Amino acid sequence: RVDASGISCYEQFCALLDGCEEPLLLMNAPLTRSKTEFSVEALGSELAGIQLPQRLKHKSKPSPKGCSLIIANQGSSQVMGAQPESWDYSGHTFSELVESIGRGSGHYLSTRSGKGACQRMGEELAYNEEAGTQDPNNVLVKELVPRAPALQLLPRDRGFQMVFWMGAHGNNFGLHTDLFAEQFLVQHQGVKE
């Protein structure tokens, strides 16, 4: 564990990392202020009318530049060993999903931008609309990215990928990690189990 309250830029983070081969748990890493409250409740209200895209009936691997959107139902299964069932979210709104999660439905959401589609612009995050204009799965990502608080240690001069996860207590939270890439996992609300 490292107190990161004094780290205000990517270069300071790299100096701290200097040769470290294991993941660092940074406590108190400074975030930029979001223009709006970034909580499940606030987002559910603010983005209430967003229509979730038509769910594809066949499984296809998204391209690295494309967005992914997964909404599944874990039910009452335990996190370890869970095999969540896909949920057909076609025709539902974001607020319906948020309400369902809040009621303990077992649903969870995972959505990610394409690689390099996000960038830190001053104190804000920006989504490169051109990176996914033809991608129906970017409907939430393009709304969430500019509302999200940004880690001040993110580099300003290069694009990156963002992943958002939302779910009820006890639901699966498995990020597929790439051990050869820099990754920052920011827990914004709730308790990581």
Side-chain angles (χ1 to χ4, degrees), residues 11-141:
E11 292 72 25
Q12 288 177 348
F13 170 72
C14 288
L16 174 71
L17 193 60
D18 190 29
C20 184
E21 298 290 326
E22 296 180 12
L24 287 178
L25 178 58
L26 302 177
M27 307 297 288
N28 307 312
L31 296 169
T32 60
R33 278 199 191 273
S34 182
K35 289 181 180 175
T36 60
E37 181 185 347
F38 195 77
S39 68
V40 173
E41 298 80 14
L43 292 169
S45 174
E46 196 173 325
L47 306 178
I50 290 184
Q51 192 79 29
L52 298 174
Q54 190 74 23
R55 183 174 174 268
L56 298 175
K57 299 295 180 196
H58 64 282
K59 288 187 175 182
S60 61
K61 189 173 182 180
S63 74
K65 294 194 180 228
C67 292
S68 69
L69 174 64
I70 298 167
I71 301 175
N73 187 349
Q74 186 174 318
S76 59
S77 301
Q78 295 296 312
V79 172
M80 298 305 287
Q83 296 182 342
E85 296 177 20
S86 291
W87 178 57
D88 188 359
Y89 44 81
S90 305
H92 290 272
T93 62
F94 182 66
S95 64
E96 290 172 324
L97 173 63
V98 170
E99 288 170 17
S100 174
I101 289 171
R103 288 191 311 267
S105 66
H107 289 115
Y108 68 92
L109 159 86
S110 174
T111 187
R112 66 180 66 211
S113 71
K115 289 188 178 177
C118 302
Q119 189 167 4
R120 183 173 171 204
M121 308 290 272
E123 296 300 306
E124 298 177 4
L125 296 176
Y127 174 68
N128 180 355
E129 189 74 39
E130 294 176 12
T133 51
Q134 300 302 314
D135 190 343
N137 287 325
N138 79 356
V139 66
L140 288 175
V141 166

